[in-house]
Amino acid sequence: MTDPISAQYADVDFTPLDAFAADEVVTHSPVQDVRLSSGKTLALITLDNGRDHRRPNTLGPATLAELHQTLTGLAQRAASGQIQAVGITGKQYILAAGADLSDISRLDSKANAKLIAQRGHQVLGMLGALGVPTFAFVNGLALGGGLEIALNSSYRTVDASAAAIALPEVFLGIIPGWGGACLLPNLIGIENALEVVVSNPLKQNRMLRPQQAFDYGIFDAIFGAANFLEDSLRWADQVLGGQITVERKNEPGRIERTVKWPAAIKIARGMLQARIGTVPRSPYAALELLEKARSGNSRKDKAAGFAREDEELSELVVGDQFAASMYAFDLVQKRAKRPVGAPDKALARKVTMVGVIGAGLMASQFALLFVRKLQVPVLITDLDQARVDKGLAYIGDEIDKLAAKGRIDSDTANKLRGLIHGTTDKSEYADCDFVIEAVFEEVGVKQQVFGEIEQIIAEDAILATNTSSLSVAEIGSKLAHPERLIGFHFFNPVAVMPLIEIVATPQSTDAALSTAFVVARGLGKSAVRTADAPGFVVNRLLAGVMGEAARALYEGTPLLTVEKAFAPLGLPMTPFQLIDLVGWKVAAHVQDTMAHAFPDRFFASANFHELADLPQVVEKDKNGRVTGWTKAAQKVLKGAVGTSPVAEDEILRRVQDHLAREMHLMLTEGVVPEVEDIDLCLILGAGWPFIDGGASPYLDREGASERVSGAPFHDPKIVGIGG
């Protein structure tokens, strides 16, 4: 009987893809026969692009063509009885990182985009139609198409030390296009599949650890790294011989398909609408594919699922959101790793001890991050021992949580506890090479604490301020050596957000800046150098967004109308959700800073401070959406708002124009050298969506750049390739 998957791709001409393979780093698929203990022969494919682990295996057109030839030959050998099984694994630490995105981003038509989807389905689909059982031995990183290799195989094992397992496509504005969206839910159930395909990518592209993936049921067995391949081959032999029967407890049954499946999809759709609105296309496209996958897992069902993925992937690949996502991906993968304006790292001072001024929540988060990532002694101080002890207790509790979750072992936990020290005796800063403050956001307070510390620290020690919007030069203006002070601006939550804005004053030395960049990298953060300008990059732009929301509100626009107006931006939060998260007092402070610096461009209202003094300002539903004002807020606002409400489209246009204007001014002022640095800051520091490419590609497409300055940020504009 003809295999339906092979049949549907038998007459497809894939030769147009050859034009996109010229620069491909080909992942080869050599085969060796392995004689198992039972006497059976397993043909083992080892994917290998000939590079080390820093250049993962990827699956471009030439790679797929070679793998197709390999699998065709193995199918013939299986038919003649020469082999009884096929296995597939990867080079050291890596199975595959999925499709070669550089190739996909160069596709020049919807027809060719569909061809790459079909080619992947044709080749990977063969793993389920070789005539003998197939085994994926996932020995390392398996992302996207790498994981789909495993899903198309009959059985799967995973190395317990594998770096990451994921289907990250939705994060990049597309969908799992080589079987992931139809195979995974039929393997692990709809709720688990929704987590892997939709929820995790939207949580800053969260990956699965091997044990998690095994617990979900993605893998049939998990083995340690030391003898992973040997154990996997032994296990495969026992499966072939019937000594082991693979049971998949999470495979959906009839009741799940008829009752639980549609309910889970409905709940997921509602949660998506609440969290991200309806602008991003890929999460909803993935949801549709997952919904339709409940028909089953027969070869006929798979063929139908593959066809749906072909259509959906080709639609998304040619769209604006994918083009912007690839621009954003390139920023994060390349520009973030080679910061513009970072001095030679050889100039950096070696940091053997870190001092944190303060022991409050923010300071304690800093201390925990420094000790965990740098594993050097960390000192915290405060005005009294009670505050110090509270900070130390918080840090100890967080270390305990990390150990309980298996993120660190007990020896490491004990080591980290031993490296943290708290006191009220500031003289101990004498041994610190890098000292950062986390005190009240007021210039005078910061000047005072730095003035005290400067008398204690070594001549070449570096001082850092975490100010979010104050002038670093002004903070350092009373120092004897202001050249050693830099801005080192974290984003909340400290452990999660990947950006640090490193702020250079006209006095900052290259040694101070180099040390800051090296420390940031040691913390696992991406650093962007900015000039010492009000709000730097992220807060300047966020203050503008929130200011335009407040302006419309005080003109008389209803709260929920203002919230809805921002939906087309696709931001992770509405403006008043964001204000409520960062704190109304913080927002009011930033509002004042920006309005003082640029009174003609940033909105401010004294009434905002009255709102900020309330214990609660807005009401929210269980999903965190703002539903209205509290009664106390209504009283504060009464008489302070106007009677000229603004339409949603006008609010959006104002926001677009404000962002475009500020970004052009920031480039003119030299806050950062290029617009790519602004976009990188927004993506890493504010969670700005990949589908916007940060902000500039979106503002170009909407015409805002040309409305305010007469020219787009990018020429040509970053847009999809169309039909």
Side-chain angles (χ1 to χ4, degrees), residues 359-392:
L361 180 59
M362 183 65 79
S364 298
Q365 291 182 57
F366 291 169
L368 177 64
L369 182 67
F370 278 107
V371 75
R372 186 182 174 199
K373 296 294 186 179
L374 301 186
Q375 299 205 4
V376 298
V378 174
L379 169 71
I380 63 171
T381 67
D382 215 310
L383 297 175
D384 57 65
Q385 193 61 40
R387 297 184 189 187
V388 172
D389 290 343
K390 185 177 179 180
L392 291 173

Side-chain angles (χ1 to χ4, degrees), residues 698-712:
Y698 166 80
L699 296 172
D700 282 351
R701 292 198 310 268
E702 293 296 312
S705 313
E706 291 171 89
R707 287 198 299 267
V708 302
S709 68

Side-chain angles (χ1 to χ4, degrees), residues 64-295:
L64 290 171
E66 181 177 320
L67 184 56
H68 182 259
Q69 286 185 325
T70 299
L71 293 173
T72 299
L74 291 176
Q76 294 169 352
R77 293 186 66 201
S80 65
Q82 297 178 43
I83 56 175
Q84 287 72 53
V86 171
I88 186 166
T89 191
K91 67 180 184 181
Q92 190 174 24
Y93 308 127
I94 305 227
L95 179 66
D100 191 324
L101 292 174
S102 62
D103 288 335
I104 292 179
S105 63
R106 290 198 297 266
L107 294 171
D108 57 2
S109 69
K110 182 180 176 182
N112 284 335
K114 186 172 182 178
L115 279 181
I116 198 68
Q118 292 175 317
R119 187 59 151 167
H121 278 133
Q122 179 205 38
V123 177
L124 272 56
M126 291 180 69
L127 289 166
L130 294 180
V132 294
T134 51
F135 295 83
F137 304 136
V138 179
N139 63 308
L141 185 79
L143 306 179
L147 180 53
E148 285 166 318
I149 286 173
L151 294 175
N152 277 279
S153 301
S154 310
Y155 303 97
R156 293 157 289 279
T157 68
V158 66
D159 186 326
S161 68
I165 310 294
L167 292 173
E169 288 85 353
V170 164
F171 180 70
L172 299 171
I174 51 177
I175 48 95
W178 290 345
C182 62
L183 298 178
L184 189 65
N186 283 292
L187 178 66
I188 65 174
I190 185 59
E191 290 183 341
N192 289 335
L194 283 165
E195 190 75 20
V196 176
V197 175
V198 180
S199 297
N200 281 353
L202 296 178
K203 294 173 182 174
Q204 294 294 311
N205 203 19
R206 179 180 293 176
M207 307 282 174
L208 293 175
R209 294 189 297 275
Q211 185 64 49
Q212 289 176 298
F214 173 70
D215 292 340
Y216 275 152
I218 296 175
F219 297 100
D220 301 312
I222 182 169
F223 299 113
N227 299 295
F228 171 70
L229 186 57
E230 293 87 344
D231 290 341
S232 293
L233 289 167
R234 187 179 305 111
W235 180 86
D237 197 15
Q238 292 174 317
V239 171
L240 292 171
Q243 292 94 341
I244 290 178
T245 300
V246 174
E247 295 181 0
R248 292 170 178 153
K249 61 182 180 180
N250 291 330
E251 274 190 343
R254 184 177 60 84
I255 293 177
E256 175 168 345
R257 292 185 189 281
T258 56
V259 179
K260 190 176 181 180
W261 203 296
I265 293 291
K266 182 178 179 181
I267 292 170
R269 184 173 284 111
M271 291 182 67
L272 280 179
Q273 291 171 352
R275 285 183 53 208
I276 64 171
T278 57
V279 174
R281 290 187 57 197
S282 61
Y284 292 98
L287 203 62
E288 292 291 331
L289 292 170
L290 291 169
E291 181 177 25
K292 292 175 180 176
R294 76 179 177 128
S295 58

Side-chain angles (χ1 to χ4, degrees), residues 394-410:
Y394 168 85
I395 295 166
D397 288 345
E398 291 300 308
I399 291 173
D400 289 343
K401 290 176 185 177
L402 290 168
K405 293 177 181 177
R407 305 288 294 276
I408 56 176
D409 58 33
S410 59

